[in-house]
Amino acid sequence: ISNIISFILGLIVNYTLSKFWIFKLSKVNSNVIEFLGFTCIGLVGLILTIIVTKLFALLMSDFTNIYQITGKIVSTAMAFFWNFFARKYLLFKK
């Protein structure tokens, strides 16, 4: 439950910051559609994080806990770039 709550709150904060500070112009006329698109992109980033973390767990399970740290770093970086560039090119104008 805490992961769901933190994801939702993080999504709202990220959307607010993205909309009013990072990307000022939208390609979408409806705020509801824009937020739904923002949410879908975030969910893809979340799924990407889970998949990459699990792959590292499977591939590096012989290396004690180092796979957790390495997998989380790699998956977080991948999700960050996915979220930023997908939102930049699909939802917002420069």
Side-chain angles (χ1 to χ4, degrees), residues 27-53:
K27 290 182 179 179
V28 182
N29 292 331
S30 169
N31 286 337
V32 173
I33 300 297
E34 182 181 71
F35 185 74
L36 289 175
F38 198 89
T39 301
C40 289
I41 291 169
L43 287 172
V44 170
L46 177 64
I47 292 167
L48 181 65
T49 299
I50 292 168
I51 290 170
V52 171
T53 303

PDB file of all heavy atoms in Angstrom, residues 27-53:
ATOM      1  N   LYS A  27       1.257  19.821 -25.629  1.00  0.00           N
ATOM      2  CA  LYS A  27       0.770  19.420 -26.944  1.00  0.00           C
ATOM      3  C   LYS A  27      -0.692  18.974 -26.858  1.00  0.00           C
ATOM      4  O   LYS A  27      -1.333  18.784 -27.867  1.00  0.00           O
ATOM      5  CB  LYS A  27       1.605  18.263 -27.486  1.00  0.00           C
ATOM      6  CG  LYS A  27       3.010  18.638 -27.859  1.00  0.00           C
ATOM      7  CD  LYS A  27       3.728  17.433 -28.432  1.00  0.00           C
ATOM      8  CE  LYS A  27       5.144  17.810 -28.828  1.00  0.00           C
ATOM      9  NZ  LYS A  27       5.884  16.658 -29.373  1.00  0.00           N
ATOM     10  N   VAL A  28      -1.197  18.788 -25.648  1.00  0.00           N
ATOM     11  CA  VAL A  28      -2.540  18.273 -25.421  1.00  0.00           C
ATOM     12  C   VAL A  28      -3.422  19.394 -24.881  1.00  0.00           C
ATOM     13  O   VAL A  28      -3.013  20.143 -23.997  1.00  0.00           O
ATOM     14  CB  VAL A  28      -2.495  17.099 -24.414  1.00  0.00           C
ATOM     15  CG1 VAL A  28      -3.867  16.503 -24.201  1.00  0.00           C
ATOM     16  CG2 VAL A  28      -1.509  16.043 -24.874  1.00  0.00           C
ATOM     17  N   ASN A  29      -4.630  19.509 -25.401  1.00  0.00           N
ATOM     18  CA  ASN A  29      -5.526  20.586 -24.981  1.00  0.00           C
ATOM     19  C   ASN A  29      -6.213  20.324 -23.649  1.00  0.00           C
ATOM     20  O   ASN A  29      -6.562  21.249 -22.941  1.00  0.00           O
ATOM     21  CB  ASN A  29      -6.586  20.839 -26.057  1.00  0.00           C
ATOM     22  CG  ASN A  29      -5.973  21.411 -27.312  1.00  0.00           C
ATOM     23  OD1 ASN A  29      -4.956  22.086 -27.261  1.00  0.00           O
ATOM     24  ND2 ASN A  29      -6.579  21.120 -28.448  1.00  0.00           N
ATOM     25  N   SER A  30      -6.413  19.086 -23.299  1.00  0.00           N
ATOM     26  CA  SER A  30      -7.131  18.736 -22.075  1.00  0.00           C
ATOM     27  C   SER A  30      -6.154  18.366 -20.963  1.00  0.00           C
ATOM     28  O   SER A  30      -5.285  17.509 -21.142  1.00  0.00           O
ATOM     29  CB  SER A  30      -8.062  17.550 -22.350  1.00  0.00           C
ATOM     30  OG  SER A  30      -8.579  17.026 -21.157  1.00  0.00           O
ATOM     31  N   ASN A  31      -6.316  18.994 -19.798  1.00  0.00           N
ATOM     32  CA  ASN A  31      -5.455  18.664 -18.654  1.00  0.00           C
ATOM     33  C   ASN A  31      -5.681  17.232 -18.188  1.00  0.00           C
ATOM     34  O   ASN A  31      -4.750  16.571 -17.729  1.00  0.00           O
ATOM     35  CB  ASN A  31      -5.710  19.624 -17.497  1.00  0.00           C
ATOM     36  CG  ASN A  31      -5.114  20.990 -17.748  1.00  0.00           C
ATOM     37  OD1 ASN A  31      -4.190  21.145 -18.530  1.00  0.00           O
ATOM     38  ND2 ASN A  31      -5.657  21.994 -17.086  1.00  0.00           N
ATOM     39  N   VAL A  32      -6.913  16.737 -18.306  1.00  0.00           N
ATOM     40  CA  VAL A  32      -7.215  15.367 -17.889  1.00  0.00           C
ATOM     41  C   VAL A  32      -6.490  14.373 -18.799  1.00  0.00           C
ATOM     42  O   VAL A  32      -5.840  13.436 -18.315  1.00  0.00           O
ATOM     43  CB  VAL A  32      -8.742  15.117 -17.900  1.00  0.00           C
ATOM     44  CG1 VAL A  32      -9.053  13.658 -17.646  1.00  0.00           C
ATOM     45  CG2 VAL A  32      -9.437  16.003 -16.886  1.00  0.00           C
ATOM     46  N   ILE A  33      -6.576  14.582 -20.106  1.00  0.00           N
ATOM     47  CA  ILE A  33      -5.891  13.696 -21.058  1.00  0.00           C
ATOM     48  C   ILE A  33      -4.383  13.790 -20.865  1.00  0.00           C
ATOM     49  O   ILE A  33      -3.672  12.778 -20.906  1.00  0.00           O
ATOM     50  CB  ILE A  33      -6.283  14.047 -22.512  1.00  0.00           C
ATOM     51  CG1 ILE A  33      -7.785  13.897 -22.728  1.00  0.00           C
ATOM     52  CG2 ILE A  33      -5.484  13.226 -23.513  1.00  0.00           C
ATOM     53  CD1 ILE A  33      -8.307  12.491 -22.556  1.00  0.00           C
ATOM     54  N   GLU A  34      -3.900  14.991 -20.641  1.00  0.00           N
ATOM     55  CA  GLU A  34      -2.464  15.186 -20.408  1.00  0.00           C
ATOM     56  C   GLU A  34      -2.015  14.420 -19.166  1.00  0.00           C
ATOM     57  O   GLU A  34      -0.997  13.720 -19.194  1.00  0.00           O
ATOM     58  CB  GLU A  34      -2.170  16.674 -20.247  1.00  0.00           C
ATOM     59  CG  GLU A  34      -0.715  16.989 -20.041  1.00  0.00           C
ATOM     60  CD  GLU A  34      -0.509  18.478 -19.859  1.00  0.00           C
ATOM     61  OE1 GLU A  34      -0.905  19.016 -18.796  1.00  0.00           O
ATOM     62  OE2 GLU A  34       0.036  19.090 -20.783  1.00  0.00           O
ATOM     63  N   PHE A  35      -2.773  14.509 -18.090  1.00  0.00           N
ATOM     64  CA  PHE A  35      -2.423  13.804 -16.853  1.00  0.00           C
ATOM     65  C   PHE A  35      -2.508  12.293 -17.049  1.00  0.00           C
ATOM     66  O   PHE A  35      -1.659  11.553 -16.536  1.00  0.00           O
ATOM     67  CB  PHE A  35      -3.312  14.243 -15.687  1.00  0.00           C
ATOM     68  CG  PHE A  35      -2.910  13.620 -14.379  1.00  0.00           C
ATOM     69  CD1 PHE A  35      -1.775  14.055 -13.711  1.00  0.00           C
ATOM     70  CD2 PHE A  35      -3.651  12.585 -13.829  1.00  0.00           C
ATOM     71  CE1 PHE A  35      -1.389  13.470 -12.509  1.00  0.00           C
ATOM     72  CE2 PHE A  35      -3.276  12.001 -12.633  1.00  0.00           C
ATOM     73  CZ  PHE A  35      -2.144  12.449 -11.968  1.00  0.00           C
ATOM     74  N   LEU A  36      -3.496  11.819 -17.787  1.00  0.00           N
ATOM     75  CA  LEU A  36      -3.594  10.381 -18.063  1.00  0.00           C
ATOM     76  C   LEU A  36      -2.401   9.901 -18.885  1.00  0.00           C
ATOM     77  O   LEU A  36      -1.849   8.824 -18.616  1.00  0.00           O
ATOM     78  CB  LEU A  36      -4.903  10.060 -18.772  1.00  0.00           C
ATOM     79  CG  LEU A  36      -6.168  10.169 -17.923  1.00  0.00           C
ATOM     80  CD1 LEU A  36      -7.407   9.951 -18.784  1.00  0.00           C
ATOM     81  CD2 LEU A  36      -6.134   9.180 -16.771  1.00  0.00           C
ATOM     82  N   GLY A  37      -1.987  10.685 -19.871  1.00  0.00           N
ATOM     83  CA  GLY A  37      -0.793  10.348 -20.644  1.00  0.00           C
ATOM     84  C   GLY A  37       0.451  10.349 -19.772  1.00  0.00           C
ATOM     85  O   GLY A  37       1.306   9.461 -19.860  1.00  0.00           O
ATOM     86  N   PHE A  38       0.544  11.342 -18.913  1.00  0.00           N
ATOM     87  CA  PHE A  38       1.653  11.455 -17.964  1.00  0.00           C
ATOM     88  C   PHE A  38       1.699  10.216 -17.067  1.00  0.00           C
ATOM     89  O   PHE A  38       2.758   9.651 -16.814  1.00  0.00           O
ATOM     90  CB  PHE A  38       1.458  12.723 -17.129  1.00  0.00           C
ATOM     91  CG  PHE A  38       2.680  13.207 -16.424  1.00  0.00           C
ATOM     92  CD1 PHE A  38       3.557  14.078 -17.043  1.00  0.00           C
ATOM     93  CD2 PHE A  38       2.937  12.816 -15.123  1.00  0.00           C
ATOM     94  CE1 PHE A  38       4.674  14.546 -16.386  1.00  0.00           C
ATOM     95  CE2 PHE A  38       4.052  13.280 -14.460  1.00  0.00           C
ATOM     96  CZ  PHE A  38       4.931  14.141 -15.093  1.00  0.00           C
ATOM     97  N   THR A  39       0.516   9.793 -16.615  1.00  0.00           N
ATOM     98  CA  THR A  39       0.408   8.623 -15.751  1.00  0.00           C
ATOM     99  C   THR A  39       0.825   7.351 -16.494  1.00  0.00           C
ATOM    100  O   THR A  39       1.559   6.525 -15.945  1.00  0.00           O
ATOM    101  CB  THR A  39      -1.026   8.482 -15.217  1.00  0.00           C
ATOM    102  OG1 THR A  39      -1.360   9.658 -14.482  1.00  0.00           O
ATOM    103  CG2 THR A  39      -1.174   7.271 -14.318  1.00  0.00           C
ATOM    104  N   CYS A  40       0.367   7.199 -17.730  1.00  0.00           N
ATOM    105  CA  CYS A  40       0.735   6.017 -18.517  1.00  0.00           C
ATOM    106  C   CYS A  40       2.242   5.938 -18.741  1.00  0.00           C
ATOM    107  O   CYS A  40       2.829   4.858 -18.628  1.00  0.00           O
ATOM    108  CB  CYS A  40       0.000   6.022 -19.854  1.00  0.00           C
ATOM    109  SG  CYS A  40      -1.761   5.688 -19.692  1.00  0.00           S
ATOM    110  N   ILE A  41       2.847   7.058 -19.042  1.00  0.00           N
ATOM    111  CA  ILE A  41       4.303   7.086 -19.220  1.00  0.00           C
ATOM    112  C   ILE A  41       4.984   6.708 -17.904  1.00  0.00           C
ATOM    113  O   ILE A  41       5.961   5.942 -17.888  1.00  0.00           O
ATOM    114  CB  ILE A  41       4.765   8.467 -19.718  1.00  0.00           C
ATOM    115  CG1 ILE A  41       4.283   8.676 -21.159  1.00  0.00           C
ATOM    116  CG2 ILE A  41       6.284   8.618 -19.627  1.00  0.00           C
ATOM    117  CD1 ILE A  41       4.452  10.090 -21.673  1.00  0.00           C
ATOM    118  N   GLY A  42       4.476   7.215 -16.789  1.00  0.00           N
ATOM    119  CA  GLY A  42       5.023   6.864 -15.479  1.00  0.00           C
ATOM    120  C   GLY A  42       4.869   5.388 -15.164  1.00  0.00           C
ATOM    121  O   GLY A  42       5.765   4.767 -14.586  1.00  0.00           O
ATOM    122  N   LEU A  43       3.731   4.799 -15.543  1.00  0.00           N
ATOM    123  CA  LEU A  43       3.525   3.368 -15.314  1.00  0.00           C
ATOM    124  C   LEU A  43       4.488   2.524 -16.145  1.00  0.00           C
ATOM    125  O   LEU A  43       4.999   1.506 -15.662  1.00  0.00           O
ATOM    126  CB  LEU A  43       2.076   2.994 -15.618  1.00  0.00           C
ATOM    127  CG  LEU A  43       1.055   3.475 -14.588  1.00  0.00           C
ATOM    128  CD1 LEU A  43      -0.361   3.217 -15.094  1.00  0.00           C
ATOM    129  CD2 LEU A  43       1.279   2.803 -13.247  1.00  0.00           C
ATOM    130  N   VAL A  44       4.750   2.946 -17.376  1.00  0.00           N
ATOM    131  CA  VAL A  44       5.740   2.238 -18.201  1.00  0.00           C
ATOM    132  C   VAL A  44       7.114   2.326 -17.536  1.00  0.00           C
ATOM    133  O   VAL A  44       7.852   1.346 -17.480  1.00  0.00           O
ATOM    134  CB  VAL A  44       5.782   2.796 -19.642  1.00  0.00           C
ATOM    135  CG1 VAL A  44       6.955   2.231 -20.416  1.00  0.00           C
ATOM    136  CG2 VAL A  44       4.473   2.499 -20.359  1.00  0.00           C
ATOM    137  N   GLY A  45       7.452   3.500 -16.997  1.00  0.00           N
ATOM    138  CA  GLY A  45       8.714   3.653 -16.270  1.00  0.00           C
ATOM    139  C   GLY A  45       8.778   2.750 -15.050  1.00  0.00           C
ATOM    140  O   GLY A  45       9.821   2.150 -14.757  1.00  0.00           O
ATOM    141  N   LEU A  46       7.661   2.620 -14.340  1.00  0.00           N
ATOM    142  CA  LEU A  46       7.598   1.736 -13.168  1.00  0.00           C
ATOM    143  C   LEU A  46       7.786   0.278 -13.583  1.00  0.00           C
ATOM    144  O   LEU A  46       8.552  -0.460 -12.952  1.00  0.00           O
ATOM    145  CB  LEU A  46       6.262   1.926 -12.448  1.00  0.00           C
ATOM    146  CG  LEU A  46       5.996   1.029 -11.242  1.00  0.00           C
ATOM    147  CD1 LEU A  46       6.999   1.314 -10.138  1.00  0.00           C
ATOM    148  CD2 LEU A  46       4.571   1.240 -10.747  1.00  0.00           C
ATOM    149  N   ILE A  47       7.126  -0.132 -14.642  1.00  0.00           N
ATOM    150  CA  ILE A  47       7.258  -1.507 -15.137  1.00  0.00           C
ATOM    151  C   ILE A  47       8.688  -1.758 -15.610  1.00  0.00           C
ATOM    152  O   ILE A  47       9.263  -2.821 -15.336  1.00  0.00           O
ATOM    153  CB  ILE A  47       6.232  -1.776 -16.255  1.00  0.00           C
ATOM    154  CG1 ILE A  47       4.819  -1.781 -15.657  1.00  0.00           C
ATOM    155  CG2 ILE A  47       6.528  -3.078 -16.980  1.00  0.00           C
ATOM    156  CD1 ILE A  47       3.712  -1.729 -16.672  1.00  0.00           C
ATOM    157  N   LEU A  48       9.277  -0.790 -16.278  1.00  0.00           N
ATOM    158  CA  LEU A  48      10.673  -0.898 -16.707  1.00  0.00           C
ATOM    159  C   LEU A  48      11.593  -1.093 -15.511  1.00  0.00           C
ATOM    160  O   LEU A  48      12.490  -1.947 -15.529  1.00  0.00           O
ATOM    161  CB  LEU A  48      11.067   0.355 -17.498  1.00  0.00           C
ATOM    162  CG  LEU A  48      12.471   0.433 -18.056  1.00  0.00           C
ATOM    163  CD1 LEU A  48      12.682  -0.641 -19.107  1.00  0.00           C
ATOM    164  CD2 LEU A  48      12.709   1.807 -18.660  1.00  0.00           C
ATOM    165  N   THR A  49      11.361  -0.337 -14.454  1.00  0.00           N
ATOM    166  CA  THR A  49      12.156  -0.465 -13.230  1.00  0.00           C
ATOM    167  C   THR A  49      12.030  -1.865 -12.642  1.00  0.00           C
ATOM    168  O   THR A  49      13.031  -2.484 -12.253  1.00  0.00           O
ATOM    169  CB  THR A  49      11.710   0.586 -12.186  1.00  0.00           C
ATOM    170  OG1 THR A  49      11.917   1.879 -12.736  1.00  0.00           O
ATOM    171  CG2 THR A  49      12.490   0.456 -10.895  1.00  0.00           C
ATOM    172  N   ILE A  50      10.817  -2.378 -12.574  1.00  0.00           N
ATOM    173  CA  ILE A  50      10.593  -3.706 -12.005  1.00  0.00           C
ATOM    174  C   ILE A  50      11.281  -4.782 -12.843  1.00  0.00           C
ATOM    175  O   ILE A  50      11.958  -5.662 -12.303  1.00  0.00           O
ATOM    176  CB  ILE A  50       9.080  -3.981 -11.877  1.00  0.00           C
ATOM    177  CG1 ILE A  50       8.472  -3.065 -10.817  1.00  0.00           C
ATOM    178  CG2 ILE A  50       8.814  -5.448 -11.550  1.00  0.00           C
ATOM    179  CD1 ILE A  50       6.955  -3.037 -10.816  1.00  0.00           C
ATOM    180  N   ILE A  51      11.131  -4.698 -14.161  1.00  0.00           N
ATOM    181  CA  ILE A  51      11.729  -5.705 -15.042  1.00  0.00           C
ATOM    182  C   ILE A  51      13.250  -5.700 -14.947  1.00  0.00           C
ATOM    183  O   ILE A  51      13.883  -6.753 -14.797  1.00  0.00           O
ATOM    184  CB  ILE A  51      11.270  -5.492 -16.499  1.00  0.00           C
ATOM    185  CG1 ILE A  51       9.790  -5.846 -16.635  1.00  0.00           C
ATOM    186  CG2 ILE A  51      12.117  -6.311 -17.477  1.00  0.00           C
ATOM    187  CD1 ILE A  51       9.173  -5.452 -17.961  1.00  0.00           C
ATOM    188  N   VAL A  52      13.853  -4.527 -15.013  1.00  0.00           N
ATOM    189  CA  VAL A  52      15.319  -4.445 -14.961  1.00  0.00           C
ATOM    190  C   VAL A  52      15.835  -4.920 -13.609  1.00  0.00           C
ATOM    191  O   VAL A  52      16.823  -5.664 -13.529  1.00  0.00           O
ATOM    192  CB  VAL A  52      15.802  -3.014 -15.273  1.00  0.00           C
ATOM    193  CG1 VAL A  52      17.286  -2.856 -15.009  1.00  0.00           C
ATOM    194  CG2 VAL A  52      15.489  -2.659 -16.716  1.00  0.00           C
ATOM    195  N   THR A  53      15.165  -4.543 -12.534  1.00  0.00           N
ATOM    196  CA  THR A  53      15.585  -4.978 -11.199  1.00  0.00           C
ATOM    197  C   THR A  53      15.491  -6.494 -11.077  1.00  0.00           C
ATOM    198  O   THR A  53      16.392  -7.142 -10.530  1.00  0.00           O
ATOM    199  CB  THR A  53      14.719  -4.295 -10.120  1.00  0.00           C
ATOM    200  OG1 THR A  53      14.830  -2.878 -10.275  1.00  0.00           O
ATOM    201  CG2 THR A  53      15.174  -4.672  -8.731  1.00  0.00           C
TER     202      THR A  53
END
